[in-house]
Amino acid sequence: MTRLIFLGPPGAGKGTQAKMLSEDCGVPHISTGDILRAAVAEGSELGKKAENYMSAGELVPDELILDLIRERLHQPDAQAGWILDGFPRNVPQAEFLSKLLEQISQPVDFVINLDVADEVIVARLLNRGRQDDEESVIRNRLEVYRAQTEPLIEFYRSRQQLVSVDGSQTLETVRASLQQVISG
Ligand code: AMP
C-alpha cells in the first residue's frame, strides 16, 4: 500500500519520478495537470474553464479541482494506493485533502518534497518545451509556486509527514533516493 503526495516547484521532476514510482509500486499516478491537459485537449467544459489559467501559469480555481480529486480517489484503482502529483497546490486544497483522506480512511504515508534550486528549474523547463513553458509563463508559475504552494512544506512538516529529497541530482539518483524513502 503506497500513498504519497509529491511536492516541489515546476520542473523539479515530480511528474517523471511520480510516474516511475507509480509503475514500481503498482498504484495510479494521479496528476491534476495531466487530467486538466486532457480536458483541454478534449474541449470539455472543465477544459474550457481551465485553459486560460493554465496558459497564464495561474492555478485553476479550487472549485474545478476539488470535486475532480474526490471522484478520482473514489475510483476502484485508487483503493490500493496512489501517488498524487500536482495536488494539493495551496493550503485550502491541502486542508480539503486531509479531511477527505480522513473520511475515506486512507492516511498518506509521506509527503515528498523534491527540492531544486531556481536556476536548475528555469533551465529544465526551457528545455522541456511544453505549451506553458514560455519564459514569462515559467516565471509566473514559479511565483505562484512560491506564494501558494511552498507554504505546504511547512503545513506538512508541522504534521511530521514531510520528507525532502534533493531533486537536482540525476534522474536515477533521485529515483534511488525515493525508493529508499518508501521502503523505509
Ligand atoms: P502541472 O502539470 O502540475 O505543472 O500543472 C499544469 C497547470 O495546471 C498548472 O500551472 C495549473 O494551471 C493547473 N493545475 C494543475 N494542478 C492544479 C491544482 N491542484 N490546482 C490548481 N491548478 C492546477
Side-chain angles (χ1 to χ4, degrees), residues 93-162:
Q93 291 183 9
E95 284 170 342
F96 169 89
L97 181 65
S98 293
K99 285 197 202 106
L100 173 63
L101 295 181
E102 208 177 291
Q103 281 164 12
I104 61 179
S105 305
Q106 294 196 9
V108 68
D109 298 327
F110 300 109
V111 178
I112 294 173
N113 178 38
L114 273 186
D115 215 4
V116 182
D118 274 14
E119 316 82 76
V120 180
I121 293 169
V122 176
R124 281 188 186 172
L125 290 177
L126 284 172
N127 257 319
R128 192 165 72 173
R130 210 169 73 188
Q131 227 170 40
D132 56 353
D133 282 343
E134 187 205 321
E135 188 157 356
S136 62
V137 179
I138 291 175
R139 296 209 180 279
N140 194 37
R141 295 212 338 261
L142 268 175
E143 268 170 44
V144 167
Y145 170 77
R146 298 277 176 242
Q148 302 195 47
T149 310
E150 206 170 48
L152 296 184
I153 294 177
E154 207 33 60
F155 180 96
Y156 287 116
R157 186 181 285 135
S158 69
R159 286 165 176 71
Q160 271 106 43
Q161 291 174 318
L162 194 80

Side-chain angles (χ1 to χ4, degrees), residues 10 14 31-34 36-37 50 53-55 57-62 65 85-90 93 128 130 132 141:
K14 288 191 305 291
S31 154
T32 43
D34 284 352
L36 291 170
R37 277 184 289 278
Y53 296 99
M54 293 172 75
S55 53
E58 297 291 330
L59 295 185
V60 311
D62 289 348
I65 293 282
D85 160 19
F87 182 91
R89 260 324 212 276
N90 58 26
Q93 291 183 9
R128 192 165 72 173
R130 210 169 73 188
D132 56 353
R141 295 212 338 261

Side-chain angles (χ1 to χ4, degrees), residues 28-44:
H29 166 216
I30 302 178
S31 154
T32 43
D34 284 352
I35 295 171
L36 291 170
R37 277 184 289 278
V40 170
E42 225 165 72
S44 69

